[in-house]
Amino acid sequence: MKTLLKKVKNSEFLTSGELLKLKVSLVLLFLFLFGIITIPVSIIGEFSLEVRIFLPSIFILLFLLSLAFLVTNKLRTSMHFSIYSFVGLTMYYTLGSSHLYGYLLLFITLTIIVFYQDIYTYIIYGGALVFYGVIYIQSIGNSLLGIEATSLLLSNLVYQGLLLAFYVIFLIHFILSESAYDNLNEEYLSVKKNILLYQNKALKYNEELNERYDKKEIYNQEHFKYSVKRVSEFISEIYEIDSQTIDELVEFYFFLHDKNIDEIKQSENLNPLSKKYLMQLEKYMLNQSSEMNEIIFSYAGRFQDSYHQETKIRYQYHINTLSNNKADQIILLCYMYIYFRTEPTQFDKWGRVERTLSHEEIKTLFTSNAFRDIISFSDMTFFIDNEELFKKYFS
Amino acid sequence: MSLKTFEEYNHYVRQYADSLEMKYLRRKTLYISVIFSMLTIPIVLALYNYGFPFGHIGIYVLSVLMLVFINLAFFKYDNIFMDIKLGIKVTTLGIYLLSMSLIVDIQSPSIFAILFVVYALVSIYQDRTTTILNNILLFLIGSVIIIFYPNIIQTIDIDNTQVFYVYLFIAIFVALLSLAFSILIKRKQYFYYQIAKIKEDEVRNIQLLIELKANYKRSDYNFSQYYDLISDFTDEFCKRRGIKNPFQERLLIINRLHDVDVDKFNNYSSELLDSIKRLSQLILKENSKIHHLILKASENAVNNNENKPIKLFNQFSSFKHVYDEKYIKILTFAVFYTSLKMPKIYLDKLSGEEILHTIKNHDFKHLFDADILDVYLDNWNLIDKMVEDELSKLVKT
């Protein structure tokens, strides 16, 4: 229980798999408690003998199956079975009773489905449950009438309408969340892609500078390797895990820095264990754009003094955010052109960042749709109209 | 090495993450107004069918309009109604009070579930304090109705267990949805933070690239010559068009401001100071926004990735991916730590204390496996000494 609560507290750092496991565990816990508390209802409820025996047995079976799938890490299946268990419980009460709580249980089951935050599961199971709920109200509506109620039709409509409204509002909620998440995710990945591009260039500059100053890359320095080995061994000892394996892994890691990983991956002679480690280590290599370098650069970047600008426009890179004045924007456009023509910003055929953009390349760039995030359509038109002047003065 | 830039980084990230949250919250006020207004239509029809007088129905409609107006005001006029969270709380309270009066007015168990619908509606905000308020209000109003108006939830089939079960259901409903939204809100805020972080990381990465490039070029960027080139260009452009040259004066001022600290003009009139600040935005310097913008723009070039294709391994980079074995997690920690102890062109060697401070007090701690982080925090001195010993041999050789 303590571990569960700790996981809820730190749920933002869980992976989607870990999060699903947490959710299924919580739902099963609720299901267990709910079953224990509400089973006494069956004693006083007006259930037929079949319902009394059949449905609780199904419920227990579904519950045990959900638990088994959870333990064996079949998380999606476990999630589905936990929903079936709750649906089973709902049907148990709605079939056997004509009380208000049968109706309210429909909301609880919808809540369980909402809890998983999976839009398709919600649409299918939630939709089916609401459909069942509407029919349920239609058939037993008279026993749900209030003591002061006068119209059965109106009472039924209110019951059904509220259930439907609850379902639709959460559906809208899901759609809004998904669309906001998709937009942000797209933005995130596009910036991440850019960062990896900068990283490629930064690594190249670093490599060239090391060569110039006759310095070895850190992954080729024996002291670095030995130091990594010692720290790894030290932590392994605390864990009391096999230090032989960690030594071999350190060696393998540095060995990979001299090799072409893609070629090794294709090799048929590679044993499965090495291949497994290779796949896991690839993203931590120091000699290529990798998660390791991304984190190191992110760390190093925090020691960089950057420009100061209010947060509202700090991350906007359209030239309009610097000035709304047309003359100013033309000056900015000229800067961009001169920079592209005179400063090396691209890899040359030898893999060095030594190449400047040609006029034609800049024209393609300026007229591309993606570039509307940087310059406006009117800026582009200005460039096209004065292309010869740009060429004459800035090339 | 100064940790001031670390603090600045955190400041920008926090501010941007907050602004993202506000942006989406503001948008949600609009959605809620629309849904709330639409829900009012069937409720008005129900009230009419229950036989309520028009005046009575009118009060409900006016109350709804007032709440919608509050929401829209917060959506549209963010410069006046800045504290959107206050607006959200007022709306939440208003919606609950309206639904309570509906339940008391209609006196039917069928309308009781409107509390759940209201809960669902308010939960769209996905705001931490509003969610707490949502839970409290549902429980409180549910209790008031069950205790003070017990006949409302009594159906023709009266049963003694009913009150207990209605209470139990409300408790389960609130507990489950509190958990669901607590997880959802935490993850949403984490995602906002990640977006803000990666945006600031981009700024810092570009800055690193600029400095590495300057090192590689062995010379400073010579941006002041750009002004002369642009001056000639605009001269001919204006001549051809037969118009007065609006660029010359600007370029002259920008050129003069190039090596001047703009803050020294603080005693000028606000109008003049604004103009100076606006033009200072156009100064192309090594560490200026324009330089960042141009470098970012250069990544859009078609042939950019010819040399090394980029591989995206995971959405969020870390040293604790679930599918990685413990050995890998240990090794990557050791590589990361040792690399920070090595002097590099773009980052000086860091002391054990500096690394400890930056890992312990900043988001880096979330990148490591919790157990490995604990080992490090308990033994940081020892680990640091171990690495120092090895690296000092490098210095000696």
Side-chain angles (χ1 to χ4, degrees):
Chain A
M1 193 66 193
K2 205 177 159 188
T3 321
L4 269 184
L5 287 175
K6 198 177 165 191
K7 279 194 173 171
V8 172
K9 201 179 158 204
N10 296 310
S11 54
E12 65 268 46
F13 306 113
L14 298 178
T15 59
S16 50
E18 288 172 322
L19 185 69
L20 185 58
K21 192 169 188 170
L22 172 70
K23 285 179 176 176
V24 176
S25 310
L26 287 169
V27 166
L28 289 183
L29 182 71
F30 266 102
L31 201 55
F32 178 71
L33 294 174
F34 194 72
I36 283 186
I37 298 170
T38 58
I39 286 298
V41 166
S42 60
I43 300 163
I44 48 176
E46 296 161 2
F47 296 92
S48 66
L49 189 64
E50 294 81 19
V51 171
R52 279 188 201 201
I53 298 166
F54 182 68
L55 278 173
S57 313
I58 293 277
F59 165 70
I60 292 166
L61 181 73
L62 288 172
F63 179 79
L64 290 176
L65 275 172
S66 315
L67 204 61
F69 285 125
L70 175 70
V71 173
T72 53
N73 257 350
K74 303 265 185 300
L75 300 174
R76 295 283 304 175
T77 320
S78 181
M79 175 189 90
H80 290 296
F81 273 85
S82 70
I83 294 172
Y84 301 150
S85 309
F86 240 102
V87 170
L89 202 67
T90 310
M91 289 183 74
Y92 176 54
Y93 289 114
T94 50
L95 284 178
S97 98
S98 54
H99 299 298
L100 186 63
Y101 49 75
Y103 170 71
L104 294 182
L105 197 54
L106 292 168
F107 286 89
I108 303 287
T109 312
L110 277 177
T111 306
I112 294 287
I113 306 171
V114 169
F115 184 62
Y116 284 119
Q117 298 287 318
D118 185 299
I119 187 163
Y120 298 109
T121 308
Y122 184 72
I123 290 174
I124 296 166
Y125 294 143
L129 195 74
V130 170
F131 183 68
Y132 171 77
V134 168
I135 293 170
Y136 169 69
I137 300 291
Q138 204 61 41
S139 54
I140 54 91
N142 51 347
S143 62
L144 278 173
L145 262 177
I147 47 173
E148 290 175 20
T150 47
S151 163
L152 174 65
L153 178 69
L154 193 57
S155 168
N156 281 358
L157 279 175
V158 173
Y159 276 121
Q160 290 165 336
L162 289 176
L163 184 65
L164 198 65
F166 184 80
Y167 174 74
V168 171
I169 288 174
F170 268 118
L171 186 64
I172 294 171
H173 189 162
F174 274 118
I175 293 167
L176 293 179
S177 295
E178 290 272 318
S179 104
Y181 180 83
D182 284 350
N183 291 341
L184 287 171
N185 200 33
E186 204 176 298
E187 201 177 341
Y188 180 91
L189 290 176
S190 125
V191 179
K192 178 149 181 157
K193 193 191 116 202
N194 280 338
I195 286 181
L196 293 176
L197 292 171
Y198 309 138
Q199 207 184 93
N200 262 346
K201 285 181 183 159
L203 282 171
K204 194 66 205 171
Y205 285 133
N206 190 50
E207 191 187 312
E208 297 276 337
L209 284 165
N210 277 336
E211 211 169 283
R212 186 185 296 166
Y213 300 126
D214 209 14
K215 276 176 72 179
K216 279 183 178 177
E217 294 289 341
I218 58 168
Y219 49 85
N220 283 329
Q221 295 180 24
E222 290 308 316
H223 294 87
F224 178 74
K225 292 182 189 176
Y226 196 69
S227 181
V228 168
K229 191 175 164 188
R230 278 198 65 188
V231 175
S232 305
E233 280 172 350
F234 172 76
I235 300 174
S236 307
E237 275 165 27
I238 291 180
Y239 277 124
E240 296 177 347
I241 53 176
D242 179 21
S243 64
Q244 174 74 22
T245 310
I246 198 90
D247 283 353
E248 284 171 9
L249 190 67
V250 172
E251 214 166 288
F252 184 57
Y253 174 70
F254 287 114
F255 163 81
L256 289 174
H257 281 83
D258 297 327
K259 306 288 169 199
N260 182 329
I261 290 190
D262 291 327
E263 271 177 24
I264 300 180
K265 271 199 278 190
Q266 305 299 327
S267 164
E268 285 171 5
N269 301 327
L270 195 67
N271 70 55
L273 186 67
S274 303
K275 190 163 189 173
K276 187 175 85 178
Y277 283 139
L278 170 70
M279 302 303 277
Q280 293 181 20
L281 283 172
E282 190 188 1
K283 58 186 172 296
Y284 300 119
M285 303 300 285
L286 285 162
N287 59 344
Q288 63 178 35
S289 173
S290 65
E291 288 191 23
M292 177 63 79
N293 276 323
E294 192 192 329
I295 295 170
I296 293 174
F297 276 108
S298 166
Y299 190 93
R302 296 198 196 186
F303 288 101
Q304 292 291 318
D305 197 9
S306 70
Y307 59 83
H308 298 278
Q309 198 175 26
E310 57 174 312
T311 323
K312 205 174 170 186
I313 51 167
R314 184 174 170 81
Y315 309 114
Q316 290 178 15
Y317 292 93
H318 197 287
I319 60 173
N320 286 356
T321 58
L322 290 166
S323 175
N324 287 324
N325 183 287
K326 195 67 217 164
D328 292 349
Q329 286 169 7
I330 289 171
I331 292 174
L332 292 170
L333 193 69
C334 293
Y335 284 162
M336 205 179 286
Y337 186 90
I338 303 171
Y339 194 95
F340 287 162
R341 287 294 288 128
T342 55
E343 287 285 336
T345 54
Q346 311 296 313
F347 285 108
D348 63 13
K349 57 182 171 182
W350 293 282
R352 292 178 310 178
V353 194
E354 290 282 11
R355 197 169 69 80
T356 54
L357 287 172
S358 67
H359 174 81
E360 287 311 314
E361 282 175 316
I362 298 173
K363 189 178 171 184
T364 312
L365 195 60
F366 280 7
T367 51
S368 68
N369 281 337
F371 220 67
R372 291 294 77 74
D373 290 341
I374 312 273
I375 61 171
S376 64
F377 188 77
S378 65
D379 296 327
M380 183 198 78
T381 315
F382 176 85
F383 171 74
I384 299 285
D385 291 347
N386 300 282
E387 204 183 326
E388 288 312 310
L389 271 184
F390 272 91
K391 246 184 187 172
K392 182 179 167 189
Y393 283 95
F394 303 142
S395 291
Chain B
M1 190 161 284
S2 161
L3 290 174
K4 193 179 150 234
T5 50
F6 248 82
E7 299 308 327
E8 271 176 12
Y9 176 98
N10 285 345
H11 166 76
Y12 281 124
V13 168
R14 266 197 307 271
Q15 264 201 349
Y16 190 66
D18 286 348
S19 72
L20 264 182
E21 185 172 6
M22 287 302 142
K23 181 181 145 190
Y24 280 95
L25 214 49
R26 218 170 275 285
R27 204 176 283 179
K28 283 171 194 166
T29 58
L30 179 70
Y31 299 145
I32 288 186
S33 298
V34 173
I35 300 171
F36 187 45
S37 311
M38 285 169 74
L39 275 177
T40 310
I41 300 166
I43 289 172
V44 166
L45 285 174
L47 284 171
Y48 175 73
N49 280 304
Y50 273 115
F52 282 90
F54 281 113
H56 203 97
I57 298 172
I59 292 171
Y60 276 109
V61 174
L62 270 178
S63 311
V64 169
L65 287 176
M66 203 172 75
L67 287 173
V68 170
F69 176 76
I70 290 174
N71 254 298
L72 290 179
F74 276 93
F75 170 74
K76 183 82 181 152
Y77 304 105
D78 58 340
N79 50 341
I80 305 167
F81 302 100
M82 285 189 285
D83 191 0
I84 191 162
K85 293 201 173 184
L86 178 71
I88 289 171
K89 284 177 190 82
V90 170
T91 311
T92 304
L93 196 65
I95 296 178
Y96 267 104
L97 288 177
L98 264 178
S99 54
M100 185 178 160
S101 36
L102 263 177
I103 296 171
V104 173
D105 261 355
I106 294 178
Q107 298 262 330
S108 162
S110 57
I111 197 72
F112 184 77
I114 198 168
L115 288 177
F116 296 151
V117 176
V118 167
Y119 188 97
L121 185 66
V122 173
S123 67
I124 290 179
Y125 284 125
Q126 285 183 23
D127 171 59
R128 195 184 296 272
T129 47
T130 312
T131 303
I132 296 170
L133 185 69
N134 201 9
N135 291 330
I136 294 171
L137 285 174
L138 174 68
F139 212 81
L140 204 68
I141 293 180
S143 303
V144 166
I145 289 163
I146 292 168
I147 295 165
F148 296 105
Y149 303 95
N151 58 324
I152 290 179
I153 56 159
Q154 281 180 1
T155 57
I156 290 169
D157 286 353
I158 299 169
D159 192 299
N160 291 332
T161 57
Q162 194 142 295
V163 172
F164 166 71
Y165 277 102
V166 171
Y167 242 134
L168 179 71
F169 286 159
I170 293 179
I172 291 173
F173 181 88
V174 169
L176 261 176
L177 283 178
S178 303
L179 269 176
F181 285 107
S182 137
I183 293 172
L184 193 70
I185 291 167
K186 271 167 181 277
R187 289 183 76 82
K188 182 202 70 181
Q189 283 178 333
Y190 179 68
F191 197 56
Y192 288 156
Y193 179 78
Q194 289 297 325
I195 300 268
K197 203 166 92 61
I198 204 152
K199 295 237 172 193
E200 187 58 28
D201 273 343
E202 181 175 31
V203 173
R204 307 294 174 124
N205 268 276
I206 295 176
Q207 191 56 40
L208 255 177
L209 189 64
I210 289 170
E211 288 193 10
L212 275 168
K213 189 178 171 191
N215 253 324
Y216 178 72
K217 278 158 51 105
R218 298 181 208 239
S219 61
D220 288 338
Y221 293 93
N222 190 8
F223 292 137
S224 48
Q225 66 171 4
Y226 284 30
Y227 306 128
D228 297 334
L229 290 170
I230 299 170
S231 178
D232 295 343
F233 168 88
T234 49
D235 256 352
E236 185 166 343
F237 168 75
C238 294
K239 263 184 215 154
R240 281 190 188 185
R241 296 282 166 115
I243 53 170
K244 198 181 156 221
N245 192 332
F247 303 98
Q248 289 307 331
E249 200 178 61
R250 277 186 169 76
L251 286 165
L252 195 68
I253 299 171
I254 295 168
N255 203 354
R256 294 248 170 103
L257 286 173
H258 193 93
D259 298 315
V260 180
D261 181 9
V262 181
D263 289 340
K264 97 179 194 192
F265 301 109
N266 275 345
N267 52 349
Y268 282 35
S269 72
S270 61
E271 201 179 329
L272 194 57
L273 190 63
D274 282 349
S275 302
I276 291 172
K277 281 193 171 164
R278 189 178 58 79
L279 284 171
S280 72
Q281 292 275 311
L282 304 183
I283 302 170
L284 182 56
K285 279 184 172 180
E286 189 173 318
N287 187 11
S288 65
K289 171 76 181 270
I290 311 166
H291 195 185
H292 280 239
L293 188 152
I294 294 173
L295 264 183
K296 186 179 164 77
S298 75
E299 295 302 340
N300 283 288
V302 182
N303 300 323
N304 189 35
N305 299 321
E306 270 178 357
N307 186 253
K308 279 188 179 176
I310 52 163
K311 282 183 190 170
L312 190 61
F313 294 99
N314 291 292
Q315 186 181 24
F316 299 122
S317 300
S318 82
F319 300 128
K320 61 167 185 184
H321 296 296
V322 266
Y323 49 81
D324 282 347
E325 299 217 0
K326 200 85 177 178
Y327 295 115
I328 304 279
K329 291 173 183 168
I330 294 173
L331 168 70
T332 49
F333 171 80
V335 171
F336 177 71
Y337 189 86
T338 316
S339 75
L340 298 185
K341 299 292 294 179
M342 302 282 287
K344 288 178 282 299
I345 289 161
Y346 55 89
L347 181 67
D348 291 341
K349 177 187 170 181
L350 294 161
S351 71
E353 286 81 3
E354 279 172 326
I355 299 176
L356 176 72
H357 176 80
T358 51
I359 289 182
K360 198 176 166 186
N361 301 321
H362 296 273
D363 57 307
F364 283 100
K365 60 177 173 280
H366 302 306
L367 298 177
F368 304 104
D369 176 86
D371 297 335
I372 295 172
L373 183 71
D374 285 344
V375 172
Y376 164 67
L377 294 176
D378 291 343
N379 302 281
W380 72 270
N381 228 330
L382 213 60
I383 291 174
D384 194 63
K385 193 168 177 327
M386 211 179 281
V387 179
E388 282 287 348
D389 284 351
E390 279 311 314
L391 299 183
S392 62
K393 289 178 196 165
L394 168 76
V395 177
K396 279 173 199 159
T397 46

